[in-house]
C-alpha cells in the first residue's frame, strides 16, 4: 500500500495564507499542503497526494477521519432538522448522549459523575474544573506538574509548564505551583514523597491547594507516563490535604491509553475529569467536565458559554460510544495494537540508543534533540506520513495513529518512521555530529 502513497502535492496559492492568515498558524508550516479530503487513517491534499495520519488531530480522531457510522448519524440528524444550536436547552441529542454515556461508560465502571458541558474546547473544560475546585475548597492554589499541558486560556495556561506558551499570556500566571512529575528527577527520586513532604511542612511555603491537576500520560509534555503507584499516591495526597484531584484526560482518554479513561483499574477515582479531543468521535468541538455530584455547587450560569453542548457532537459522540464501547472488542484491538506499537518502537529505539515513552496507543521515541526529531518528521512527511513531536525541546516523536488503524497499515507507517530515522541518522546527523 505504500507504493500508492503520492505525497507530491503542493499548495497552489501559498501567498493567500501568507497574506491573510495570522502568523500564529503552526502545523501548516511543517506540512505545507492544502488538504481536501480524509477518510479513516488517510488524508488527501488537493494535488493528489495521500498521507497516512499518525497525528490524528493530536488524538482528536481516535476513530479515524469521517467514520462512516458517525458520519451517517450526523447526516441523518441534520436531514431531519435536528437542533444544531440550543444554548444549554434540553435536546433529544443531549438526552441521547447523556443516557448512552451513563449506560456504556459511567455505570459499567461504577463511576458517579455529573456532566458539565463547558465551552467546546479542552481548555474551557480545564477552566471550569479549576474554577470549581477553587469555589468548593475556598482555596486559590492549584498544583500542576512539570511538563503538564492543559490549554491556552489564562487559567489553564497558568497550569501549563511550557515557557513559550506561557509567554503568550502577557500577564502574570499566578496561583499555580508546578511540582515535579513522576520521574522528573530520574528513577531514584520519588516525587510523590517530595510533594507530600512539602504539603506536610507548615513552613515549606506551599499553600494548601484547591486541586491537584494531572495528566496520567503527558501528551504535549513528551509522553511521560506516570506509574499507577505514583498516581495513587498523588490521589491519596490530594485527599489527605483536602484538595480535589483533577485528571485531565483530554488527550489520554477516549481509548488512547487503553480504557475509556486513562486511570481505569488504577485504584483511585478522580474528583473531576476533563474530556474533549476525541469525545465527539469525529473531530467536532465538544468538551466535558465530569464532577462528583457533591461538588456540583455551581449557581445556574456561573460558568457560561454560547456553545455549551454542541448538538452535532452529541449525536456523533453517542454514535461513537454505541459503536465502539458497547462491547470489549474495540478495547482488545487497541490493546493488541498498543503492544505491537511498543514492540516496533522498542526495536527502532534500540537500534539508535533512543528511549521509548508512553502507554497504550500513545507512545513515541525520545530522540534526544528537537532538531533531529524535526528532521525525522520532515522526512516522514516527504514519504507520506504525518507525524509530530512533543516534549520540552520537541525531542519526542509522537505516534498518535487512529485507534482503528489496521495492524498492517500501522506497521507500514512504522516502516516509514524506521526508514526516516535511519536516513536522517546516516546523513544529516552524521554530518552535524562531526
Ligand atoms: C489539547 C489539550 C488541552 C486543551 O484542549 P483544547 O481543545 O486545545 O483547548 C488540555 N489538556 C490536554 C491534556 C490536552 O492534550
Amino acid at each position: 500500500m505504500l507504493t500508492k502513497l503520492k505525497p507530491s502535492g503542493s499548495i497552489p496559492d501559498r501567498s493567500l495564507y501568507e497574506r491573510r492568515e495570522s502568523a500564529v498558524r503552526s502545523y501548516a508550516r511543517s506540512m505545507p499542503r492544502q488538504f481536501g479530503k480524509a477518510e479513516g487513517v488517510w488524508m488527501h491534499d488537493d494535488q493528489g497526494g495521500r498521507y497516512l495520519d499518525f497525528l490524528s488531530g493530536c488524538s482528536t480522531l481516535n476513530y479515524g477521519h469521517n467514520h462512516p457510522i458517525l458520519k451517517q448519524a450526523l447526516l441523518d440528524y441534520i436531514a431531519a432538522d435536528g437542533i444544531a444550536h440550543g444554548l444549554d436547552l434540553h435536546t433529544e441529542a443531549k438526552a441521547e448522549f447523556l443516557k448512552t454515556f451513563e449506560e456504556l461508560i459511567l455505570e459499567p465502571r461504577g463511576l458517579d459523575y455529573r456532566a458539565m458541558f463547558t465551552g467546546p474546547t479542552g481548555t474551557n473544560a480545564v477552566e471550569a474544573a479549576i474554577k470549581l475546585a477553587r469555589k468548593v475548597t475556598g482555596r486559590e492554589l492549584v498544583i500542576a506538574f512539570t511538563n503538564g499541558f492543559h490549554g491556552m486560556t489564562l487559567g489553564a495556561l497558568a497550569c501549563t509548564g511550557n515557557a513559550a506558551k506561557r509567554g503568550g499570556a502577557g500577564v502574570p500566571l499566578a496561583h499555580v505551583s508546578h511540582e515535579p512529575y513522576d520521574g522528573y528527577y530520574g528513577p531514584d527520586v520519588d516525587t510523590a514523597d517530595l510533594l507530600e513532604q512539602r504539603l506536610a511542612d507548615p513552613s515549606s511555603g506551599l499553600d494548601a491547594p484547591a486541586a491537584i491537576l494531572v495528566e496520567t500520560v503527558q501528551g504535549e509534555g513528551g509522553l511521560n507516563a506516570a506509574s499507577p503507584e505514583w498516581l495513587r499516591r498523588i490521589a491519596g495526597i490530594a485527599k489527605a490535604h483536602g484538595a480535589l484531584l483533577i485528571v485531565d484526560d483530554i488527550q489520554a482518554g477516549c481509548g488512547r491509553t487503553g480504557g475509556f479513561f486513562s486511570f481505569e483499574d488504577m485504584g483511585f477515582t478522580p474528583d473531576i475529569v476533563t474530556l474533549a479531543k476525541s469525545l465527539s468521535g469525529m473531530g467536532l468541538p465538544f468538551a466535558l467536565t465530569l464532577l462528583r455530584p457533591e461538588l456540583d455547587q455551581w449557581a445556574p450560569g456561573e460558568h457560561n458559554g454560547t456553545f455549551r453542548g454542541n448538538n452535532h457532537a452529541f449525536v456523533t459522540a453517542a454514535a461513537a460510544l454505541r459503536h465502539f464501547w458497547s462491547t470489549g472488542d474495540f478495547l482488545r484491538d487497541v490493546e493488541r495494537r498498543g503492544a505491537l506499537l511498543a514492540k516496533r518502537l522498542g526495536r527502532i529505539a534500540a537500534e539508535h540508543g533512543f528511549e521509548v515513552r508512553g502507554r497504550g496507543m500513545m507512545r513515541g521515541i525520545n530522540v534526544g534533540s528537537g532538531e533531529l526529531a524535526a528532521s525525522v518528521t520532515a522526512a516522514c512527511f516527504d514519504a507520506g506520513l504525518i507525524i509530530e513531536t512533543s516534549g520540552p525541546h520537541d525531542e519526542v516523536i509522537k505516534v498518535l495513529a487512529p485507534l482503528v488503524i489496521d495492524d498492517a497499515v500501522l506497521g507500514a507507517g512504522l516502516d516509514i518512521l524506521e526508514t526516516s530515522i535511519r536516513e536522517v541518522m546516516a546523513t544529516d546527523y552524521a554530518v552535524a555530529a562531526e
Side-chain angles (χ1 to χ4, degrees):
M1 90 250 341
L2 284 182
T3 53
K4 285 198 213 126
L5 282 171
K6 263 206 315 169
S8 56
S10 59
I11 289 188
D13 180 13
R14 200 189 296 195
S15 70
L16 169 67
Y17 297 104
E18 277 157 13
R19 192 168 70 244
R20 288 299 166 205
E21 191 182 6
S22 162
V24 80
R25 66 194 185 277
S26 60
Y27 293 106
R29 294 173 187 274
S30 52
M31 295 175 245
R33 298 289 186 279
Q34 184 164 282
F35 293 94
K37 293 177 66 161
E39 85 288 320
V41 300
W42 302 102
M43 293 185 73
H44 304 268
D45 69 29
D46 61 0
Q47 304 287 299
R50 181 167 96 133
Y51 305 81
L52 180 53
D53 188 1
F54 270 20
L55 178 57
S56 304
C58 297
S59 199
T60 300
L61 296 157
N62 283 0
Y63 314 115
H65 293 265
N66 291 312
H67 190 282
I69 288 174
L70 310 192
K71 184 170 79 176
Q72 195 55 52
L74 182 58
L75 288 171
D76 292 346
Y77 183 80
I78 293 173
D81 284 330
I83 298 282
H85 178 264
L87 295 168
D88 67 2
L89 293 172
H90 299 326
T91 62
E92 287 174 15
K94 185 196 279 185
E96 183 59 24
F97 170 77
L98 280 172
K99 260 195 309 212
T100 311
F101 193 75
E102 179 176 62
E103 253 171 55
L104 296 180
I105 302 299
L106 295 180
E107 284 176 354
R109 290 163 182 77
L111 293 170
D112 184 14
Y113 287 125
R114 282 194 187 159
M116 171 181 180
F117 300 114
T118 64
T121 56
T123 195
N124 201 257
V126 173
E127 294 290 343
I130 59 181
K131 255 193 201 177
L132 183 65
R134 285 173 170 143
K135 177 183 162 88
V136 167
T137 62
R139 300 172 178 178
E140 282 176 359
L141 183 76
V142 170
I143 287 177
F145 292 95
T146 50
N147 285 309
F149 179 83
H150 301 286
M152 299 296 280
T153 51
L154 291 183
L157 187 55
C159 301
T160 292
N162 186 293
K165 303 271 188 274
R166 293 170 64 82
V171 293
L173 295 172
H175 311 303
V176 176
S177 181
H178 296 266
E179 300 295 318
Y181 192 70
D182 191 15
Y184 188 73
Y185 292 122
D188 299 331
V189 178
D190 186 337
T191 59
D193 283 346
L194 299 185
L195 179 59
E196 187 161 54
Q197 193 177 337
R198 295 233 300 146
L199 283 172
D201 179 355
S203 201
S204 71
L206 193 62
D207 293 330
I212 301 183
L213 170 63
V214 67
E215 295 161 271
T216 64
V217 182
Q218 296 184 313
E220 299 306 299
L223 300 180
N224 309 299
S227 72
E229 301 75 50
W230 186 84
L231 289 163
R232 256 196 313 279
R233 285 283 306 284
I234 296 299
I237 292 168
K239 196 169 202 162
H241 291 274
L244 301 182
L245 179 70
I246 306 171
V247 170
D248 182 349
D249 236 3
I250 289 172
Q251 189 161 157
C254 298
R256 178 54 64 184
T257 51
F260 185 84
F261 297 108
S262 71
F263 52 83
E264 283 175 31
D265 303 319
M266 287 190 178
F268 68 92
T269 305
D271 298 296
I272 300 177
V273 182
T274 55
L275 290 171
K277 291 200 165 85
S278 268
L279 183 60
S280 77
M282 227 181 114
L284 299 175
F286 183 28
L288 189 55
T289 301
L290 298 171
L291 36 119
R292 286 198 292 109
E294 314 86 270
L295 301 176
D296 194 11
Q297 296 169 26
W298 290 112
E302 193 176 357
H303 185 86
N304 219 329
T306 306
F307 293 107
R308 279 172 306 136
N310 172 343
N311 279 269
H312 289 170
F314 284 143
V315 172
T316 57
L321 294 178
R322 280 192 303 268
H323 186 68
F324 291 103
W325 296 95
S326 52
T327 72
D329 295 350
F330 175 63
L331 258 178
R332 271 190 296 278
D333 281 347
V334 173
E335 212 165 285
R336 189 189 63 249
R337 284 179 198 124
L340 196 92
L341 177 62
K343 201 168 122 197
R344 282 295 310 271
L345 290 183
R347 234 169 51 203
I348 298 170
E351 185 178 329
H352 306 282
F354 297 148
E355 170 207 16
V356 178
R357 298 254 186 100
R359 181 151 73 81
M361 281 289 278
M362 188 171 183
R363 292 183 208 257
I365 299 182
N366 176 12
V367 300
S369 123
E371 204 189 324
L372 171 55
S375 300
V376 170
T377 54
C380 287
F381 188 69
D382 286 342
L385 180 69
I386 292 176
I387 187 164
E388 263 293 341
T389 58
S390 83
H393 307 285
D394 298 319
E395 72 279 38
V396 181
I397 301 170
K398 179 163 94 156
V399 178
L400 292 176
L403 306 181
V404 296
I405 192 168
D406 186 81
D407 292 7
V409 179
L410 176 62
L414 293 170
D415 288 343
I416 297 180
L417 177 60
E418 183 170 43
T419 307
S420 301
I421 292 180
R422 271 190 202 138
E423 268 172 26
V424 171
M425 292 300 284
T427 54
D428 312 18
Y429 237 70
V431 173
E434 269 168 21

